[in-house]
């Protein structure tokens, strides 16, 4: 089984430095591209590979790049790695950042070449201190070796790269809010259109991609779009970093062919549920995805299959709910997070999320009333898609709406018994 | 007033950006690095230096979780209170910290050693529950390990 992204990442060994990375074939894809391919050819190869963005929304990466103006385009153009990873339950980009910084840098340079970007940023969340250190060192190594800066490898193409570390806010991960944060503003989202591909950072054409997305790119160039599709078990190309957290025997992160089933992840890789506990449900791809339950264990973890089951692949890092953990408390914890991290730009989200949080807390405390459930249902509509500026609020409603559907008994029991059946 | 060192560092940030204002987050980070937190006077100094109004600077300073507009202790404890840590029982850690340090979220110990803050997901959910003190990450933390962890800081 091929693991292109993590093949050279070992838990007890520091990340490969530039020389070591080159020795295992690193930067060969970049050299090949600079020598043999036009920017449009790179865009086409990535589009053909069916690489879909790993940041959550799953948009075809090559197609996204193709919207950037190429001839007589405004300058400078920007390429940005979204390394904000703050979605609760998500811990995949950390591995790539700490374990293989040159893979990310090479992917970004190739992507930069494909859209003819002039400047690149890695937007890194504050908490990843080790990643910041190793990225700084690796960017310098890449400059020293002539992979960054002016006239890269004598090709005439130039790219600058900077590391930006954030100061903490989930909204910085939202593509357009990230651009505002980089411009030194509050991280509120921007109205679209114009899309960042046309008018992004400082009003110039900009591509934002997830860390894992960039890390796939050198491999697609080196081994081809057909190979990339062939290592997947689904129609989405490539492998995927899958994670499982919660009360399983071996929580962890694994690079597997895109499209393994939930059952395989939990039973084989995560070692099954902890002693005496039963699987009750899971958020398949981070905090802002809908619950799936036992009936969905054989669903394949690819974008289309998870969507058909009523949820989203999201970040592919799953949070497991066991039968001894209260689903109401679980959802209350999520809504507390979303209410806290709401940027306050639009009313339904700013006012609605704290209300939802309070209602859930009163249910947890045994003070809930039957009408409270109507209030929660109402919010899943008011804060749903189309009513807010960004996807934070609709994302927050996904676990709530699905919990109300699958765990209705638990909600009702809290009201009937006037206490939490799990905590007392 | 900004110190020469602070100005020097902020100037570097300005030099790689298309306009001065864009450096405001970096400037706040730099000031906080030197002064521990960002008081009203610092907001004013940054505003002057970047040709912004204090209100504009403060709107940015108050937006971000880790720009401190109140004094903090010598060390910052960030306890993850997000979902994987909830499932794995961060609540027990919080109770133990309250007990040992006599502070709640947002509080600073009377000797000014620690400030305790809740923090969204630290990105190590397979090793929950987790907390961070300054630059150091601690995973799979249990209440009985806390005393030893705290003793490393002075
Ligand atoms: C509230 C919010 C937070 C987000 N956080 C992240 C993040 O931390 N990392 C990320 O890659 N994408 C995040 N996204 C998705 C980005 O907006 C964007 O879709 C993604 O970076 C695009 O990259 P991709 O096409 O490679 O997936 C977030 C979206 C929302 C609405
Ligand atoms: S949905 Fe929430 S987070 Fe998104 S723009 Fe509106 S207020 Fe901000």
């Amino acid at each position: 089984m091929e693991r292109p992204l993590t093949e050279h990442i070992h838990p007890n060994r520091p990340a490969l430095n530039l020389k070591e990375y080159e020795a295992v074939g690193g930067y060969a894809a970049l050299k090949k591209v600079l020598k043999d391919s036009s920017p449009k050819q790179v865009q086409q190869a990535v589009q053909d590979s069916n690489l879909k963005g790993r940041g959550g929304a799953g948009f075809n990466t090559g197609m996204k790049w193709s919207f950037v103006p190429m001839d007589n385009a405004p300058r400078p153009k920007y390429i940005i790695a979204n390394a904000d990873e703050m979605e609760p339950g998500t811990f995949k980009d950390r591995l790539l950042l700490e374990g293989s910084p040159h893979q990310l840098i090479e992917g970004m340079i190739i992507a930069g070449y494909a859209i003819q970007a002039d400047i690149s940023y890695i937007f890194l969340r504050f908490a990843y201190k080790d990643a910041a250190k190793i990225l700084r060192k690796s960017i310098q190594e890449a400059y020293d070796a002539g992979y960054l800066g002016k006239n890269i490898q004598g090709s005439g193409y130039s790219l600058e790269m900077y590391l930006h570390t954030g100061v903490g806010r989930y909204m910085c991960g939202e593509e357009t809010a990230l651009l505002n944060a980089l411009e030194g503003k509050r991280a509120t989202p921007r109205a679209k259109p114009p899309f960042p591909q046309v008018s992004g950072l400082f009003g110039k054409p900009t591509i934002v991609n997830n860390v894992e997305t960039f890390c796939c790119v050198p491999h697609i160039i080196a081994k081809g779009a057909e190979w990339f599709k062939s290592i997947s078990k689904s129609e989405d190309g490539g492998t995927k970093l899958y994670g499982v957290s919660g009360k399983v025997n071996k929580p962890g992160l694994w690079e597997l062919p895109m499209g393994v089933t939930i059952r395989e992840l939990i039973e084989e890789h995560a070692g099954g549920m902890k002693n005496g506990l039963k699987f009750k449900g899971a958020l398949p791809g981070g905090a802002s995805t809908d619950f799936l339950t036992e009936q969905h264990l054989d669903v394949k973890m690819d974008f289309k299959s998870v969507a058909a089951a009523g949820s989203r692949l999201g970040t592919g890092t799953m949070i497991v709910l066991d039968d001894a953990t209260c689903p109401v408390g679980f959802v209350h914890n999520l809504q507390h997070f979303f209410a806290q991290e709401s940027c306050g730009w639009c009313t339904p989200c700013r006012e609605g999320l704290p209300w939802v949080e309070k209602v859930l807390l009163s249910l947890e405390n045994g003070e809930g009333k039957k009408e409270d459930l109507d209030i929660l249902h109402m919010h899943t509509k008011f804060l749903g898609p189309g009513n807010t500026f960004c996807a934070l609020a609709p994302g927050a409603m996904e676990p709530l709406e699905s919990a109300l559907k699958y765990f209705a008994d638990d909600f009702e029991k809290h009201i009937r018994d006037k206490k939490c059946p799990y905590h007392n | 007033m900004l110190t020469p060192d602070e100005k020097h560092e902020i100037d570097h940030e300005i030099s790689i950006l298309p306009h001065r204002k864009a450096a405001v987050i970096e400037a706040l980070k730099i000031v906080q690095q030197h002064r521990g937190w960002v008081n009203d006077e610092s907001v004013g100094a940054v505003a002057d230096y970047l040709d912004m109004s204090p209100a504009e600077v403060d709107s940015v300073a108050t937006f971000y979780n880790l720009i401190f507009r109140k004094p903090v202790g010598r060390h910052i404890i960030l306890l993850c209170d997000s979902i994987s840590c909830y499932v794995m029982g961060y609540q027990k850690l919080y109770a133990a910290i309250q007990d040992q340090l006599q502070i709640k979220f947002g509080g600073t110990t009377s000797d000014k050693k620690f400030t305790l803050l809740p923090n969204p997901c630290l990105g190590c959910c397979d090793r929950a529950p987790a907390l961070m003190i300054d630059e150091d990450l601690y995973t799979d933390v249990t209440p009985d390990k806390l005393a030893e962890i705290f003793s490393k800081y002075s």
Side-chain angles (χ1 to χ4, degrees):
Chain A
M1 196 171 60
E2 297 190 71
R3 297 191 293 123
L5 270 54
T6 55
E7 189 183 350
H8 301 293
I9 302 180
H10 299 282
N12 300 318
R13 212 183 60 197
L16 301 186
N17 64 26
L18 186 122
K19 284 274 160 298
E20 293 161 340
Y21 180 68
E22 285 176 328
V24 297
Y27 288 108
L30 173 62
K31 286 183 188 153
K32 180 169 147 185
V33 153
L34 293 175
K35 215 164 120 257
D36 304 334
S37 308
S38 69
K40 275 287 170 200
Q41 282 171 326
V42 181
Q43 292 183 11
Q44 193 60 46
V46 173
Q47 193 163 335
D48 291 344
S49 76
N50 217 353
L51 169 63
K52 292 190 179 159
R54 306 296 197 233
F59 194 78
N60 182 300
T61 304
M63 194 183 301
K64 184 167 172 175
W65 296 355
S66 74
F67 300 137
V68 174
M70 297 300 284
D71 300 326
N72 302 319
R75 285 284 164 92
K77 293 196 251 183
Y78 294 96
I79 188 101
I80 299 171
N82 190 341
D84 194 51
E85 189 155 82
M86 255 176 94
E87 174 88 5
T90 301
F91 51 103
K92 67 182 185 70
D93 296 338
R94 180 198 277 273
L95 181 78
L96 296 171
L97 291 161
E98 292 176 358
S100 194
H102 281 293
Q103 177 173 248
L104 169 66
I105 294 169
E106 184 182 6
M108 289 181 71
I109 305 170
I110 296 172
Y113 176 76
I115 64 156
Q116 291 291 295
D118 306 279
I119 300 176
S120 59
Y121 286 97
I122 300 173
F123 191 103
L124 180 71
R125 71 172 296 195
F126 74 96
Y128 288 2
K129 307 281 187 196
D130 291 341
K133 277 183 213 142
I134 189 134
L135 282 169
R136 251 183 222 114
K137 174 174 154 271
S138 306
I139 291 171
Q140 192 53 51
E141 284 178 338
Y143 268 104
D144 293 344
Y147 293 125
L148 281 171
K150 297 256 170 316
N151 191 17
I152 297 171
Q153 303 289 308
S155 66
Y157 174 63
S158 304
L159 182 72
E160 303 296 329
M161 185 175 285
Y162 304 109
L163 177 70
H164 176 98
T165 54
V167 265
R169 205 63 203 255
Y170 174 54
M171 272 302 290
C172 293
E174 198 277 339
E175 189 162 303
T176 60
L178 182 151
L179 300 178
N180 279 343
L182 269 179
E183 289 184 14
K185 298 174 183 156
R186 291 163 74 96
T188 51
R190 299 177 178 177
K192 290 189 271 192
F195 286 89
Q197 291 94 316
V198 179
S199 175
L201 190 63
F202 300 110
K204 303 290 195 242
T206 303
I207 285 290
V208 180
N209 275 129
N210 174 256
V211 169
E212 190 183 350
T213 311
F214 281 120
C215 288
C216 294
V217 172
H219 305 287
I220 294 171
I221 298 300
K223 297 190 186 151
E226 286 311 312
W227 164 83
F228 193 71
K229 283 194 278 195
S230 77
I231 59 173
S232 159
K233 285 188 176 175
S234 81
E235 63 184 58
D236 308 326
T239 57
K240 177 79 194 77
L241 290 189
Y242 291 110
V244 177
S245 66
K247 291 198 173 149
V248 291
N249 281 315
K250 288 186 292 176
L253 189 67
W254 311 275
E255 182 182 7
L256 299 167
M258 178 69 97
V260 300
T261 65
I262 298 176
R263 188 187 300 281
E264 186 182 333
L265 276 178
I266 294 177
E267 289 176 6
E268 284 178 34
H269 299 284
M273 299 300 295
K274 269 194 198 298
N275 227 347
L277 295 174
K278 271 186 63 190
F279 174 88
K280 185 166 171 126
L283 306 178
S288 53
T289 58
D290 293 83
F291 276 101
L292 294 178
T293 60
E294 222 182 332
Q295 55 176 309
H296 302 115
L297 281 173
D298 293 310
V299 168
K300 286 168 132 195
M301 288 282 282
D302 61 58
F303 288 101
K304 207 165 152 187
S305 309
V306 181
S311 185
R312 288 190 305 119
L313 178 63
T315 60
T317 44
M318 171 185 305
I319 309 148
V320 172
L321 170 70
D322 56 86
D323 66 341
T325 298
C326 175
V328 177
F330 189 107
V331 177
H332 170 256
N333 177 278
L334 295 174
Q335 300 306 323
H336 167 74
F337 164 79
F338 288 117
Q340 174 186 301
E341 294 298 320
S342 163
C343 78
W345 192 242
C346 41
T347 317
C349 175
R350 182 185 62 233
E351 303 298 323
L353 287 174
W355 193 2
V356 166
E357 183 193 346
K358 281 186 193 134
V359 168
L360 288 165
L361 183 63
S362 69
L363 286 172
E364 250 314 64
N365 289 341
E367 294 152 1
K369 297 191 277 300
K370 197 94 190 128
E371 304 83 83
D372 288 340
L373 296 183
D374 301 332
I375 295 175
L376 293 178
H377 279 290
M378 180 183 82
H379 278 84
T380 63
K381 302 290 171 289
F382 279 178
L383 275 66
N387 294 333
T388 57
F389 270 98
C390 88
L392 184 141
M397 292 303 101
E398 291 180 22
L400 175 63
E401 189 171 11
S402 50
L404 287 167
K405 174 169 144 198
Y406 293 122
F407 312 127
D409 289 352
D410 285 296
F411 281 86
E412 278 156 20
K413 204 161 192 306
H414 279 75
I415 297 169
R416 211 171 41 238
D417 300 354
K418 295 198 174 15
K419 64 174 189 180
C420 172
Y422 294 83
H423 289 141
N424 302 306
Chain B
M1 276 286 283
L2 299 173
T3 65
D5 277 353
E6 287 168 340
K7 282 186 186 164
H8 180 73
E9 288 171 45
I10 296 171
D11 285 343
H12 170 71
E13 299 299 332
I14 294 171
S15 75
I16 57 173
L17 288 163
H19 50 251
R20 285 181 89 78
K21 265 186 175 184
V24 62
I25 297 177
E26 293 303 324
L28 289 165
K29 274 159 65 177
I30 289 165
V31 167
Q32 178 162 295
Q33 187 84 40
H34 286 274
R35 307 178 184 194
W37 65 292
V38 180
N39 64 14
D40 291 348
E41 198 261 334
S42 306
V43 167
V46 168
D48 277 349
Y49 199 63
L50 298 180
D51 303 325
M52 297 170 75
S53 73
E56 255 181 302
V57 174
D58 207 17
S59 80
V60 173
T62 53
F63 186 87
Y64 292 98
N65 297 342
L66 293 163
I67 297 292
F68 304 129
R69 288 287 277 114
K70 285 183 189 167
V72 289
R74 293 192 295 284
H75 306 285
I76 309 285
I77 306 172
L78 299 175
L79 177 64
C80 175
D81 65 349
S82 286
I83 190 63
S84 304
C85 285
Y86 169 84
V87 172
M88 301 310 286
Y90 89 85
Q91 303 88 324
K92 287 199 190 95
L93 283 186
Y94 183 34
I97 295 173
Q98 288 182 65
D99 192 46
Q100 291 183 25
L101 299 181
Q102 297 293 313
I103 44 172
K104 291 187 190 311
F105 282 140
T108 300
T109 53
S110 53
D111 60 1
K112 306 274 187 289
K113 189 154 140 190
F114 293 113
T115 294
L116 175 66
L117 298 171
N119 189 78
C121 195
L122 289 167
C124 46
C125 318
D126 53 343
R127 293 169 286 159
L131 61 83
M132 239 175 124
I133 304 184
D134 303 337
E135 308 255 306
D136 312 321
L137 177 68
Y138 299 92
T139 56
D140 291 314
V141 186
T142 47
D144 57 301
K145 291 186 193 158
L146 285 172
E148 195 201 321
I149 293 175
F150 293 150
S151 72
K152 292 186 198 164
Y153 298 87
S154 54

